[in-house]
Amino acid sequence: HRRMMRGVAAVLVMMTVGSRAADLVLPAVISSRMVLQRDQPVPIWGTAGAGSRVTVAFAGRQQEVMADADGRWLARLEPLAASTNGRPMTIAAIDPQGKRVERRLDDILVGEVWLGSGQSNMDMPVHQYGQDRALNETAALTHPALRLIRSADTGWMAAEPVANRNFSALLFAFGVALQRELGVPVGLIEGAVNGTPSGAWLSQAAYAGSAACSTEVARAKAVFDAAEHERQCAQRLLAWSNLVVKAAGEGKPKPRQPPLPLTPGASRMLVGSLYERHIRPFQPFAIRGVLWDQGEA
């Protein structure tokens, strides 16, 4: 009986492996309604079963690539001219056993793609600018040649009133004006977070390899007074402790611990943390440029 059950288990494992061998997974940025950057090679990527042959076809362009041992694959279509004609893209994977899986993406445009990032100045959505009548009137319209994506976890959206109201006001206004001026589709990628320090938006590699950053940190260290730093930290913690005791005695909520002075080269958030969460997942999507707005931290 045990031998029979082991045999059944082995068959189930083999069936499971076989059923997953050609699995085809695409990142959220590769989705229906996306805008592809014109006049540049077009990277399309994802994962499939190891050793699968993956074929990407769009607008008369086609490329076949092989998924590596980890299942990762990257195809680059030849550059495309701008087009307001929404067209489909098919991505098919065939595993070494011959199983085929296909994904179809619809309503894909070709034009200009921009990424907007930074802190609150970039993150503030349209609906928080109620006093800006022109902006809100524009956002109340549907813009067929404008497409939006807000995070690395969601796909592309049509620029319709509900989506417009919740999108970055700065990036949306830029995109509307750019689309009207150029007369080609525009795709807008938003990766911004309110109240965040610039160091978190750098990749760790960029920070470590930056001569400018190294020079500034060295200058700060040269005049850094460790004893004074410790004194300031202790002073702030003592004042906070006294407030905690007072709040407890009055039955009030515990006050938040105050931020402590930073040492040279330190950031209030881990260097690279927001870059990894909000920027890297979009790579290597082809873009024209970046809008950056961060002036307070």
Side-chain angles (χ1 to χ4, degrees), residues 141-173:
L141 303 174
T142 295
H143 302 269
L146 187 66
R147 303 292 168 82
L148 318 171
I149 182 168
R150 288 192 61 205
S151 79
D153 296 327
T154 61
W156 287 87
M157 303 175 290
E160 299 173 341
V162 173
N164 299 342
R165 282 179 49 79
N166 293 298
F167 199 72
S168 162
L170 181 60
L171 193 54
F172 173 76

PDB file of all heavy atoms in Angstrom, residues 141-173:
ATOM      1  N   LEU A 141     -12.238  64.398 -18.590  1.00  0.00           N
ATOM      2  CA  LEU A 141     -12.378  63.889 -19.952  1.00  0.00           C
ATOM      3  C   LEU A 141     -11.614  62.584 -20.114  1.00  0.00           C
ATOM      4  O   LEU A 141     -10.698  62.278 -19.354  1.00  0.00           O
ATOM      5  CB  LEU A 141     -11.834  64.921 -20.950  1.00  0.00           C
ATOM      6  CG  LEU A 141     -12.464  66.325 -20.907  1.00  0.00           C
ATOM      7  CD1 LEU A 141     -11.715  67.241 -21.858  1.00  0.00           C
ATOM      8  CD2 LEU A 141     -13.950  66.273 -21.238  1.00  0.00           C
ATOM      9  N   THR A 142     -11.978  61.835 -21.139  1.00  0.00           N
ATOM     10  CA  THR A 142     -11.218  60.646 -21.527  1.00  0.00           C
ATOM     11  C   THR A 142     -10.232  61.039 -22.613  1.00  0.00           C
ATOM     12  O   THR A 142     -10.588  61.739 -23.562  1.00  0.00           O
ATOM     13  CB  THR A 142     -12.159  59.537 -22.040  1.00  0.00           C
ATOM     14  OG1 THR A 142     -12.996  59.114 -20.967  1.00  0.00           O
ATOM     15  CG2 THR A 142     -11.366  58.347 -22.559  1.00  0.00           C
ATOM     16  N   HIS A 143      -8.995  60.583 -22.456  1.00  0.00           N
ATOM     17  CA  HIS A 143      -7.933  60.900 -23.412  1.00  0.00           C
ATOM     18  C   HIS A 143      -7.467  59.592 -24.054  1.00  0.00           C
ATOM     19  O   HIS A 143      -6.629  58.875 -23.487  1.00  0.00           O
ATOM     20  CB  HIS A 143      -6.779  61.601 -22.702  1.00  0.00           C
ATOM     21  CG  HIS A 143      -7.187  62.866 -21.997  1.00  0.00           C
ATOM     22  ND1 HIS A 143      -7.153  64.097 -22.598  1.00  0.00           N
ATOM     23  CD2 HIS A 143      -7.684  63.064 -20.738  1.00  0.00           C
ATOM     24  CE1 HIS A 143      -7.589  65.013 -21.756  1.00  0.00           C
ATOM     25  NE2 HIS A 143      -7.919  64.409 -20.612  1.00  0.00           N
ATOM     26  N   PRO A 144      -7.988  59.249 -25.226  1.00  0.00           N
ATOM     27  CA  PRO A 144      -7.713  57.938 -25.843  1.00  0.00           C
ATOM     28  C   PRO A 144      -6.238  57.667 -26.118  1.00  0.00           C
ATOM     29  O   PRO A 144      -5.821  56.508 -26.100  1.00  0.00           O
ATOM     30  CB  PRO A 144      -8.513  57.992 -27.145  1.00  0.00           C
ATOM     31  CG  PRO A 144      -9.579  59.021 -26.899  1.00  0.00           C
ATOM     32  CD  PRO A 144      -8.939  60.043 -26.012  1.00  0.00           C
ATOM     33  N   ALA A 145      -5.459  58.702 -26.367  1.00  0.00           N
ATOM     34  CA  ALA A 145      -4.051  58.511 -26.715  1.00  0.00           C
ATOM     35  C   ALA A 145      -3.127  58.660 -25.514  1.00  0.00           C
ATOM     36  O   ALA A 145      -1.905  58.775 -25.667  1.00  0.00           O
ATOM     37  CB  ALA A 145      -3.637  59.481 -27.825  1.00  0.00           C
ATOM     38  N   LEU A 146      -3.701  58.660 -24.301  1.00  0.00           N
ATOM     39  CA  LEU A 146      -2.910  58.768 -23.070  1.00  0.00           C
ATOM     40  C   LEU A 146      -3.175  57.538 -22.217  1.00  0.00           C
ATOM     41  O   LEU A 146      -4.324  57.141 -22.014  1.00  0.00           O
ATOM     42  CB  LEU A 146      -3.307  60.033 -22.303  1.00  0.00           C
ATOM     43  CG  LEU A 146      -2.475  60.400 -21.070  1.00  0.00           C
ATOM     44  CD1 LEU A 146      -1.053  60.758 -21.475  1.00  0.00           C
ATOM     45  CD2 LEU A 146      -3.114  61.577 -20.327  1.00  0.00           C
ATOM     46  N   ARG A 147      -2.107  56.925 -21.704  1.00  0.00           N
ATOM     47  CA  ARG A 147      -2.234  55.732 -20.865  1.00  0.00           C
ATOM     48  C   ARG A 147      -1.430  55.928 -19.591  1.00  0.00           C
ATOM     49  O   ARG A 147      -0.380  56.596 -19.583  1.00  0.00           O
ATOM     50  CB  ARG A 147      -1.727  54.498 -21.619  1.00  0.00           C
ATOM     51  CG  ARG A 147      -2.455  54.272 -22.959  1.00  0.00           C
ATOM     52  CD  ARG A 147      -3.908  53.884 -22.738  1.00  0.00           C
ATOM     53  NE  ARG A 147      -4.710  53.926 -23.953  1.00  0.00           N
ATOM     54  CZ  ARG A 147      -4.757  52.956 -24.861  1.00  0.00           C
ATOM     55  NH1 ARG A 147      -4.022  51.851 -24.700  1.00  0.00           N
ATOM     56  NH2 ARG A 147      -5.519  53.069 -25.915  1.00  0.00           N
ATOM     57  N   LEU A 148      -1.893  55.311 -18.499  1.00  0.00           N
ATOM     58  CA  LEU A 148      -1.322  55.543 -17.174  1.00  0.00           C
ATOM     59  C   LEU A 148      -1.021  54.215 -16.486  1.00  0.00           C
ATOM     60  O   LEU A 148      -1.755  53.245 -16.642  1.00  0.00           O
ATOM     61  CB  LEU A 148      -2.317  56.322 -16.307  1.00  0.00           C
ATOM     62  CG  LEU A 148      -3.075  57.489 -16.951  1.00  0.00           C
ATOM     63  CD1 LEU A 148      -4.168  57.984 -16.003  1.00  0.00           C
ATOM     64  CD2 LEU A 148      -2.120  58.616 -17.328  1.00  0.00           C
ATOM     65  N   ILE A 149       0.042  54.220 -15.689  1.00  0.00           N
ATOM     66  CA  ILE A 149       0.301  53.086 -14.800  1.00  0.00           C
ATOM     67  C   ILE A 149       0.875  53.653 -13.511  1.00  0.00           C
ATOM     68  O   ILE A 149       1.833  54.432 -13.526  1.00  0.00           O
ATOM     69  CB  ILE A 149       1.237  52.038 -15.442  1.00  0.00           C
ATOM     70  CG1 ILE A 149       1.444  50.848 -14.503  1.00  0.00           C
ATOM     71  CG2 ILE A 149       2.549  52.636 -15.897  1.00  0.00           C
ATOM     72  CD1 ILE A 149       2.119  49.656 -15.166  1.00  0.00           C
ATOM     73  N   ARG A 150       0.292  53.264 -12.370  1.00  0.00           N
ATOM     74  CA  ARG A 150       0.626  53.916 -11.099  1.00  0.00           C
ATOM     75  C   ARG A 150       1.642  53.176 -10.265  1.00  0.00           C
ATOM     76  O   ARG A 150       2.321  53.757  -9.433  1.00  0.00           O
ATOM     77  CB  ARG A 150      -0.636  54.115 -10.256  1.00  0.00           C
ATOM     78  CG  ARG A 150      -1.557  55.191 -10.779  1.00  0.00           C
ATOM     79  CD  ARG A 150      -2.613  55.532  -9.748  1.00  0.00           C
ATOM     80  NE  ARG A 150      -2.017  56.028  -8.515  1.00  0.00           N
ATOM     81  CZ  ARG A 150      -2.611  55.946  -7.331  1.00  0.00           C
ATOM     82  NH1 ARG A 150      -3.779  55.338  -7.221  1.00  0.00           N
ATOM     83  NH2 ARG A 150      -2.025  56.429  -6.257  1.00  0.00           N
ATOM     84  N   SER A 151       1.729  51.878 -10.400  1.00  0.00           N
ATOM     85  CA  SER A 151       2.696  51.153  -9.590  1.00  0.00           C
ATOM     86  C   SER A 151       3.102  49.893 -10.316  1.00  0.00           C
ATOM     87  O   SER A 151       2.500  49.513 -11.325  1.00  0.00           O
ATOM     88  CB  SER A 151       2.117  50.801  -8.211  1.00  0.00           C
ATOM     89  OG  SER A 151       1.269  49.667  -8.319  1.00  0.00           O
ATOM     90  N   ALA A 152       4.144  49.256  -9.774  1.00  0.00           N
ATOM     91  CA  ALA A 152       4.653  48.049 -10.404  1.00  0.00           C
ATOM     92  C   ALA A 152       3.741  46.849 -10.170  1.00  0.00           C
ATOM     93  O   ALA A 152       4.014  45.757 -10.660  1.00  0.00           O
ATOM     94  CB  ALA A 152       6.053  47.747  -9.878  1.00  0.00           C
ATOM     95  N   ASP A 153       2.635  47.034  -9.431  1.00  0.00           N
ATOM     96  CA  ASP A 153       1.730  45.922  -9.136  1.00  0.00           C
ATOM     97  C   ASP A 153       0.470  45.937  -9.990  1.00  0.00           C
ATOM     98  O   ASP A 153      -0.322  44.997  -9.941  1.00  0.00           O
ATOM     99  CB  ASP A 153       1.319  45.955  -7.658  1.00  0.00           C
ATOM    100  CG  ASP A 153       2.506  45.753  -6.735  1.00  0.00           C
ATOM    101  OD1 ASP A 153       3.416  45.020  -7.117  1.00  0.00           O
ATOM    102  OD2 ASP A 153       2.506  46.346  -5.648  1.00  0.00           O
ATOM    103  N   THR A 154       0.258  47.008 -10.762  1.00  0.00           N
ATOM    104  CA  THR A 154      -0.959  47.110 -11.557  1.00  0.00           C
ATOM    105  C   THR A 154      -0.600  47.299 -13.020  1.00  0.00           C
ATOM    106  O   THR A 154       0.482  47.777 -13.357  1.00  0.00           O
ATOM    107  CB  THR A 154      -1.811  48.300 -11.093  1.00  0.00           C
ATOM    108  OG1 THR A 154      -1.052  49.510 -11.255  1.00  0.00           O
ATOM    109  CG2 THR A 154      -2.213  48.144  -9.638  1.00  0.00           C
ATOM    110  N   GLY A 155      -1.517  46.943 -13.895  1.00  0.00           N
ATOM    111  CA  GLY A 155      -1.283  47.108 -15.319  1.00  0.00           C
ATOM    112  C   GLY A 155      -1.616  48.515 -15.785  1.00  0.00           C
ATOM    113  O   GLY A 155      -2.013  49.388 -15.009  1.00  0.00           O
ATOM    114  N   TRP A 156      -1.496  48.724 -17.098  1.00  0.00           N
ATOM    115  CA  TRP A 156      -1.777  50.022 -17.700  1.00  0.00           C
ATOM    116  C   TRP A 156      -3.276  50.311 -17.676  1.00  0.00           C
ATOM    117  O   TRP A 156      -4.100  49.411 -17.809  1.00  0.00           O
ATOM    118  CB  TRP A 156      -1.271  50.052 -19.126  1.00  0.00           C
ATOM    119  CG  TRP A 156       0.222  50.143 -19.236  1.00  0.00           C
ATOM    120  CD1 TRP A 156       1.106  49.100 -19.242  1.00  0.00           C
ATOM    121  CD2 TRP A 156       0.993  51.332 -19.359  1.00  0.00           C
ATOM    122  NE1 TRP A 156       2.395  49.574 -19.351  1.00  0.00           N
ATOM    123  CE2 TRP A 156       2.357  50.937 -19.434  1.00  0.00           C
ATOM    124  CE3 TRP A 156       0.693  52.689 -19.424  1.00  0.00           C
ATOM    125  CZ2 TRP A 156       3.394  51.848 -19.561  1.00  0.00           C
ATOM    126  CZ3 TRP A 156       1.722  53.606 -19.555  1.00  0.00           C
ATOM    127  CH2 TRP A 156       3.060  53.184 -19.614  1.00  0.00           C
ATOM    128  N   MET A 157      -3.624  51.588 -17.538  1.00  0.00           N
ATOM    129  CA  MET A 157      -5.015  52.028 -17.519  1.00  0.00           C
ATOM    130  C   MET A 157      -5.231  53.056 -18.621  1.00  0.00           C
ATOM    131  O   MET A 157      -4.326  53.835 -18.957  1.00  0.00           O
ATOM    132  CB  MET A 157      -5.353  52.686 -16.175  1.00  0.00           C
ATOM    133  CG  MET A 157      -5.112  51.826 -14.953  1.00  0.00           C
ATOM    134  SD  MET A 157      -5.416  52.765 -13.416  1.00  0.00           S
ATOM    135  CE  MET A 157      -4.003  53.912 -13.425  1.00  0.00           C
ATOM    136  N   ALA A 158      -6.423  53.075 -19.161  1.00  0.00           N
ATOM    137  CA  ALA A 158      -6.810  54.155 -20.062  1.00  0.00           C
ATOM    138  C   ALA A 158      -6.959  55.432 -19.236  1.00  0.00           C
ATOM    139  O   ALA A 158      -7.333  55.383 -18.067  1.00  0.00           O
ATOM    140  CB  ALA A 158      -8.115  53.808 -20.764  1.00  0.00           C
ATOM    141  N   ALA A 159      -6.667  56.575 -19.846  1.00  0.00           N
ATOM    142  CA  ALA A 159      -6.774  57.856 -19.133  1.00  0.00           C
ATOM    143  C   ALA A 159      -8.234  58.298 -19.144  1.00  0.00           C
ATOM    144  O   ALA A 159      -8.646  59.201 -19.879  1.00  0.00           O
ATOM    145  CB  ALA A 159      -5.875  58.899 -19.784  1.00  0.00           C
ATOM    146  N   GLU A 160      -9.018  57.653 -18.275  1.00  0.00           N
ATOM    147  CA  GLU A 160     -10.431  57.963 -18.110  1.00  0.00           C
ATOM    148  C   GLU A 160     -10.630  58.699 -16.786  1.00  0.00           C
ATOM    149  O   GLU A 160      -9.746  58.664 -15.918  1.00  0.00           O
ATOM    150  CB  GLU A 160     -11.246  56.671 -18.152  1.00  0.00           C
ATOM    151  CG  GLU A 160     -11.106  55.942 -19.487  1.00  0.00           C
ATOM    152  CD  GLU A 160     -11.774  54.585 -19.492  1.00  0.00           C
ATOM    153  OE1 GLU A 160     -12.035  54.044 -18.383  1.00  0.00           O
ATOM    154  OE2 GLU A 160     -12.028  54.058 -20.595  1.00  0.00           O
ATOM    155  N   PRO A 161     -11.766  59.381 -16.593  1.00  0.00           N
ATOM    156  CA  PRO A 161     -11.945  60.255 -15.424  1.00  0.00           C
ATOM    157  C   PRO A 161     -11.562  59.662 -14.078  1.00  0.00           C
ATOM    158  O   PRO A 161     -10.852  60.310 -13.298  1.00  0.00           O
ATOM    159  CB  PRO A 161     -13.433  60.602 -15.492  1.00  0.00           C
ATOM    160  CG  PRO A 161     -13.724  60.608 -16.956  1.00  0.00           C
ATOM    161  CD  PRO A 161     -12.907  59.483 -17.526  1.00  0.00           C
ATOM    162  N   VAL A 162     -11.984  58.452 -13.760  1.00  0.00           N
ATOM    163  CA  VAL A 162     -11.678  57.870 -12.447  1.00  0.00           C
ATOM    164  C   VAL A 162     -10.177  57.670 -12.291  1.00  0.00           C
ATOM    165  O   VAL A 162      -9.593  58.012 -11.246  1.00  0.00           O
ATOM    166  CB  VAL A 162     -12.416  56.536 -12.250  1.00  0.00           C
ATOM    167  CG1 VAL A 162     -11.956  55.862 -10.963  1.00  0.00           C
ATOM    168  CG2 VAL A 162     -13.921  56.765 -12.206  1.00  0.00           C
ATOM    169  N   ALA A 163      -9.534  57.128 -13.317  1.00  0.00           N
ATOM    170  CA  ALA A 163      -8.083  56.914 -13.259  1.00  0.00           C
ATOM    171  C   ALA A 163      -7.340  58.243 -13.210  1.00  0.00           C
ATOM    172  O   ALA A 163      -6.364  58.400 -12.466  1.00  0.00           O
ATOM    173  CB  ALA A 163      -7.625  56.094 -14.466  1.00  0.00           C
ATOM    174  N   ASN A 164      -7.809  59.222 -13.964  1.00  0.00           N
ATOM    175  CA  ASN A 164      -7.144  60.526 -14.008  1.00  0.00           C
ATOM    176  C   ASN A 164      -7.136  61.196 -12.637  1.00  0.00           C
ATOM    177  O   ASN A 164      -6.131  61.788 -12.218  1.00  0.00           O
ATOM    178  CB  ASN A 164      -7.845  61.447 -15.010  1.00  0.00           C
ATOM    179  CG  ASN A 164      -7.821  60.916 -16.425  1.00  0.00           C
ATOM    180  OD1 ASN A 164      -7.009  60.041 -16.755  1.00  0.00           O
ATOM    181  ND2 ASN A 164      -8.698  61.419 -17.272  1.00  0.00           N
ATOM    182  N   ARG A 165      -8.249  61.123 -11.945  1.00  0.00           N
ATOM    183  CA  ARG A 165      -8.371  61.803 -10.651  1.00  0.00           C
ATOM    184  C   ARG A 165      -7.409  61.251  -9.607  1.00  0.00           C
ATOM    185  O   ARG A 165      -7.006  61.974  -8.700  1.00  0.00           O
ATOM    186  CB  ARG A 165      -9.807  61.693 -10.125  1.00  0.00           C
ATOM    187  CG  ARG A 165     -10.788  62.634 -10.763  1.00  0.00           C
ATOM    188  CD  ARG A 165     -12.197  62.443 -10.208  1.00  0.00           C
ATOM    189  NE  ARG A 165     -12.228  62.415  -8.749  1.00  0.00           N
ATOM    190  CZ  ARG A 165     -12.179  63.497  -7.969  1.00  0.00           C
ATOM    191  NH1 ARG A 165     -12.086  64.694  -8.509  1.00  0.00           N
ATOM    192  NH2 ARG A 165     -12.235  63.378  -6.652  1.00  0.00           N
ATOM    193  N   ASN A 166      -7.059  60.004  -9.728  1.00  0.00           N
ATOM    194  CA  ASN A 166      -6.181  59.378  -8.743  1.00  0.00           C
ATOM    195  C   ASN A 166      -4.724  59.307  -9.197  1.00  0.00           C
ATOM    196  O   ASN A 166      -3.900  58.720  -8.502  1.00  0.00           O
ATOM    197  CB  ASN A 166      -6.695  57.970  -8.434  1.00  0.00           C
ATOM    198  CG  ASN A 166      -8.023  57.992  -7.713  1.00  0.00           C
ATOM    199  OD1 ASN A 166      -8.128  58.508  -6.617  1.00  0.00           O
ATOM    200  ND2 ASN A 166      -9.048  57.454  -8.349  1.00  0.00           N
ATOM    201  N   PHE A 167      -4.429  59.917 -10.313  1.00  0.00           N
ATOM    202  CA  PHE A 167      -3.073  59.882 -10.848  1.00  0.00           C
ATOM    203  C   PHE A 167      -2.334  61.165 -10.475  1.00  0.00           C
ATOM    204  O   PHE A 167      -2.938  62.186 -10.156  1.00  0.00           O
ATOM    205  CB  PHE A 167      -3.126  59.729 -12.373  1.00  0.00           C
ATOM    206  CG  PHE A 167      -1.858  59.246 -12.998  1.00  0.00           C
ATOM    207  CD1 PHE A 167      -1.452  57.928 -12.847  1.00  0.00           C
ATOM    208  CD2 PHE A 167      -1.050  60.103 -13.727  1.00  0.00           C
ATOM    209  CE1 PHE A 167      -0.280  57.474 -13.428  1.00  0.00           C
ATOM    210  CE2 PHE A 167       0.120  59.665 -14.312  1.00  0.00           C
ATOM    211  CZ  PHE A 167       0.513  58.339 -14.161  1.00  0.00           C
ATOM    212  N   SER A 168      -1.007  61.100 -10.513  1.00  0.00           N
ATOM    213  CA  SER A 168      -0.168  62.262 -10.225  1.00  0.00           C
ATOM    214  C   SER A 168      -0.614  63.473 -11.045  1.00  0.00           C
ATOM    215  O   SER A 168      -0.642  63.433 -12.279  1.00  0.00           O
ATOM    216  CB  SER A 168       1.288  61.940 -10.556  1.00  0.00           C
ATOM    217  OG  SER A 168       2.059  63.122 -10.679  1.00  0.00           O
ATOM    218  N   ALA A 169      -0.947  64.570 -10.369  1.00  0.00           N
ATOM    219  CA  ALA A 169      -1.405  65.772 -11.059  1.00  0.00           C
ATOM    220  C   ALA A 169      -0.309  66.334 -11.962  1.00  0.00           C
ATOM    221  O   ALA A 169      -0.576  66.746 -13.101  1.00  0.00           O
ATOM    222  CB  ALA A 169      -1.844  66.820 -10.036  1.00  0.00           C
ATOM    223  N   LEU A 170       0.899  66.378 -11.459  1.00  0.00           N
ATOM    224  CA  LEU A 170       2.009  66.930 -12.227  1.00  0.00           C
ATOM    225  C   LEU A 170       2.277  66.095 -13.475  1.00  0.00           C
ATOM    226  O   LEU A 170       2.417  66.624 -14.587  1.00  0.00           O
ATOM    227  CB  LEU A 170       3.262  66.986 -11.353  1.00  0.00           C
ATOM    228  CG  LEU A 170       4.526  67.557 -11.993  1.00  0.00           C
ATOM    229  CD1 LEU A 170       4.296  68.985 -12.453  1.00  0.00           C
ATOM    230  CD2 LEU A 170       5.680  67.512 -11.009  1.00  0.00           C
ATOM    231  N   LEU A 171       2.327  64.777 -13.305  1.00  0.00           N
ATOM    232  CA  LEU A 171       2.624  63.894 -14.424  1.00  0.00           C
ATOM    233  C   LEU A 171       1.474  63.879 -15.435  1.00  0.00           C
ATOM    234  O   LEU A 171       1.705  63.873 -16.652  1.00  0.00           O
ATOM    235  CB  LEU A 171       2.899  62.487 -13.896  1.00  0.00           C
ATOM    236  CG  LEU A 171       3.527  61.479 -14.859  1.00  0.00           C
ATOM    237  CD1 LEU A 171       4.805  62.010 -15.474  1.00  0.00           C
ATOM    238  CD2 LEU A 171       3.791  60.159 -14.133  1.00  0.00           C
ATOM    239  N   PHE A 172       0.227  63.899 -14.944  1.00  0.00           N
ATOM    240  CA  PHE A 172      -0.926  63.912 -15.828  1.00  0.00           C
ATOM    241  C   PHE A 172      -0.951  65.186 -16.672  1.00  0.00           C
ATOM    242  O   PHE A 172      -1.146  65.131 -17.901  1.00  0.00           O
ATOM    243  CB  PHE A 172      -2.215  63.803 -15.006  1.00  0.00           C
ATOM    244  CG  PHE A 172      -3.466  63.962 -15.806  1.00  0.00           C
ATOM    245  CD1 PHE A 172      -3.927  62.930 -16.606  1.00  0.00           C
ATOM    246  CD2 PHE A 172      -4.193  65.150 -15.755  1.00  0.00           C
ATOM    247  CE1 PHE A 172      -5.091  63.075 -17.363  1.00  0.00           C
ATOM    248  CE2 PHE A 172      -5.350  65.299 -16.499  1.00  0.00           C
ATOM    249  CZ  PHE A 172      -5.801  64.265 -17.306  1.00  0.00           C
ATOM    250  N   ALA A 173      -0.745  66.340 -16.042  1.00  0.00           N
ATOM    251  CA  ALA A 173      -0.752  67.610 -16.768  1.00  0.00           C
ATOM    252  C   ALA A 173       0.347  67.636 -17.832  1.00  0.00           C
ATOM    253  O   ALA A 173       0.136  68.112 -18.956  1.00  0.00           O
ATOM    254  CB  ALA A 173      -0.586  68.772 -15.794  1.00  0.00           C
TER     255      ALA A 173
END
